[in-house]
Amino acid sequence: MTDVLIISGGNAEDLIGATLCEHLEGLSLAALPLVGAGKRYEGKVERILGPRTQMPSGGFPFNSLDNLLADLKAGFHLEIVRQIRAAQLARREVRAVAVVGDAYALAIGVLASSWGQLPLFHLQPQISHYYWGGRSVWERLRQPNQFAAEDYMFYERWMHRFVQAVYVRDKLSEQRAHQLGLYKARFVGSMAMDTLPAPERDLSSVLDGRPVLVLLPGTRGDVRFSLPLMLQSAALLPQMQGLVAWAADFSQVPLAEGWSLSVLDDQTALAQQGPHRVWLLRNAFSAILHVGQVAIGTAGTANEQAAGMGIPVVAFPTPGPQYIYPNALRQSRLLGKALRLVQPQAEVVAQAVRAFLTDEQAREAARKEGLERNGPRGALPQIAQEIRQALALRGTHAR
């Protein structure tokens, strides 16, 4: 019998789920990742369930028609059937279910919990009322695929009747949930900031004394566009030292024209163009954030974590699949003054970085808003404690 099944609906959600596992140490755990292979759960759970197929869109089928058609061609509809089947089988052998993700992930969780007969917890890191951003009804109607990130849709509210507790991403979203009568919803801290570990390594051998420019190209296909542009921007900022938080193998690094890459070891590489040098570091994301002054980012959670660390972020949209203009604009509403969205041109990006670097008032406003909108750490330990309490209570009732 498995104590807790964790269902997660994306890369960032997998990270939250895997971090939650660390706080559930001692319990029997299983995971059902709904997007991709769920590699973050390896070594954290006893079993990883489901088909674990990587779709072409990287989990963003509704960002564009091309994304959706590519996923359908790859068997997206069959993937859903297999995930539903995995949830139905899992409910026979689990004691509680924790869902990290959107309404679809919650629907799979409702099935896995036998329609709420098992304790069901919903960690909702995607919806923020900040996304609404004071937009008019007409502005919202022009982007209907954003509705489910801006507010709690009727079908999600209906499914909350089967849930024991709902954990939301910020205080404003808690207030909105209560306006809608969702009194199970609570903000207990930032799940995203809980996933940020202590610095993974000492960077003193890399740092040269200049202010650090943090480059966050993300982990999806956007990097093919974003990293070359980031390198070009870094070359226009010789007063700063560029450090790239790189997640993939160095053989997959897309370079700007005229740049070359020297791989020093499996964790460190150096991109060069004439006198310009930018370090690419693997397994050093937190370490880089802890020394950063300004960031250039085309990532989801990573941008938000940088802002939550008090680092102002300059962002630009990519052709996709993730950080397309509507998503970038939405994140700018979420982070407010902590993120400045600009055109995807190296000169424009560099100018925005200089503005943050030289304007202490703007940098302080970005720091304050980034901390406020992300919230403090502490969500996942609290959620883990409540899951343990529910299991203990269920065990008492069983006896």
Side-chain angles (χ1 to χ4, degrees):
M1 179 66 72
T2 298
D3 291 318
V4 185
L5 170 66
I6 299 175
I7 299 172
S8 51
N11 182 59
E13 290 79 4
D14 287 358
L15 178 57
I16 292 172
T19 307
L20 179 63
C21 290
E22 298 173 6
H23 297 285
L24 293 172
E25 186 178 3
L27 298 179
S28 174
L29 306 174
L32 174 54
L34 303 178
V35 177
K39 291 184 178 181
R40 292 188 184 277
Y41 288 110
E42 294 175 357
K44 302 287 182 68
V45 300
E46 296 176 4
R47 293 182 301 152
I48 303 178
L49 311 178
R52 304 177 65 185
T53 306
Q54 183 65 57
M55 289 287 123
S57 74
F60 294 91
F62 302 111
N63 268 3
S64 69
L65 181 60
D66 287 343
N67 280 11
L68 179 58
L69 292 175
D71 278 10
L72 288 172
K73 186 176 180 180
F76 179 50
H77 52 301
L78 297 176
E79 184 84 352
I80 293 173
V81 172
R82 296 187 188 104
Q83 290 170 351
I84 291 173
R85 182 59 177 161
Q88 290 173 328
L89 293 174
R91 66 186 177 187
R92 304 172 184 173
E93 51 188 40
V94 302
R95 298 177 60 213
V97 179
V99 173
V100 188
D102 61 8
Y104 172 69
L106 178 58
I108 298 297
V110 168
L111 291 177
S113 69
S114 295
W115 297 87
Q117 293 183 40
L118 302 175
L120 175 61
F121 300 84
H122 185 200
L123 288 66
Q124 176 45 288
Q126 294 191 357
I127 291 176
S128 176
H129 204 50
Y130 283 115
Y131 289 141
W132 195 305
R135 295 190 300 157
S136 67
V137 173
W138 171 243
E139 287 175 314
R140 296 188 68 226
L141 287 174
R142 291 174 60 187
Q143 295 180 327
N145 65 330
Q146 304 287 328
F147 286 176
E150 296 172 348
D151 207 359
Y152 306 93
M153 304 301 289
F154 68 91
Y155 45 84
E156 183 169 350
R157 301 202 298 266
W158 179 81
M159 285 188 288
H160 279 172
R161 69 180 61 193
F162 305 108
V163 172
Q164 183 163 322
V166 182
Y167 307 99
V168 299
R169 66 172 297 154
D170 50 57
K171 196 67 179 177
L172 186 65
S173 300
E174 178 191 77
Q175 294 169 3
R176 173 59 177 171
H178 291 178
Q179 288 175 358
L180 296 171
L182 303 176
Y183 297 110
K184 295 178 183 178
R186 289 180 291 138
F187 173 63
V188 295
S190 171
M191 291 174 267
M193 297 309 296
D194 281 343
T195 65
L196 186 66
E200 303 90 344
R201 55 197 275 199
D202 181 6
L203 300 182
S204 58
S205 62
V206 172
L207 301 178
D208 61 14
R210 290 177 293 168
V212 170
L213 176 64
V214 179
L215 304 180
L216 304 172
T219 60
R220 292 183 171 87
D222 306 75
V223 300
R224 292 188 294 270
F225 176 84
S226 60
L227 183 59
L229 198 153
M230 289 180 184
L231 293 176
Q232 292 168 344
S233 302
L236 298 174
L237 296 162
Q239 70 272 42
M240 302 190 74
Q241 180 181 15
L243 301 182
V244 180
W246 186 249
D249 187 89
F250 287 132
S251 64
Q252 302 176 40
V253 176
L255 296 172
E257 185 178 353
W259 287 73
S260 62
L261 186 72
S262 302
V263 179
L264 305 184
D265 56 50
D266 63 349
Q267 304 295 313
T268 313
L270 186 63
Q272 292 180 281
Q273 181 207 42
H276 307 298
R277 306 170 69 192
V278 173
W279 293 90
L280 288 86
L281 307 176
R282 299 179 69 238
N283 299 313
F285 172 62
S286 180
I288 293 173
L289 288 191
H290 277 80
V291 297
Q293 298 294 315
V294 182
I296 303 174
T298 55
T301 301
N303 280 8
E304 292 158 23
Q305 288 173 318
M309 288 282 291
I311 302 171
V313 180
V314 175
F316 56 85
T318 77
Q322 178 190 15
Y323 211 73
I324 58 176
Y325 179 71
N327 287 358
L329 184 62
R330 187 179 69 186
Q331 190 178 63
S332 72
R333 293 196 297 270
L334 171 68
L335 296 178
K337 296 176 182 177
L339 184 143
R340 189 168 296 174
L341 183 61
V342 300
Q343 296 177 343
Q345 300 171 9
E347 297 82 1
V348 177
V349 173
Q351 181 56 41
V353 171
R354 289 190 204 99
F356 271 132
L357 190 64
T358 58
D359 188 338
E360 185 175 345
Q361 188 173 355
R363 197 164 60 250
E364 176 58 24
R367 186 195 69 81
K368 181 179 179 181
E369 200 129 303
L371 296 175
E372 178 183 316
R373 296 198 175 202
N374 280 280
R377 293 173 180 258
L380 295 182
Q382 174 70 24
I383 294 168
Q385 181 181 355
E386 294 183 17
I387 292 173
R388 290 181 185 275
Q389 290 171 348
L391 288 172
L393 185 60
R394 185 173 177 80
T396 301
H397 286 172
R399 289 194 291 272

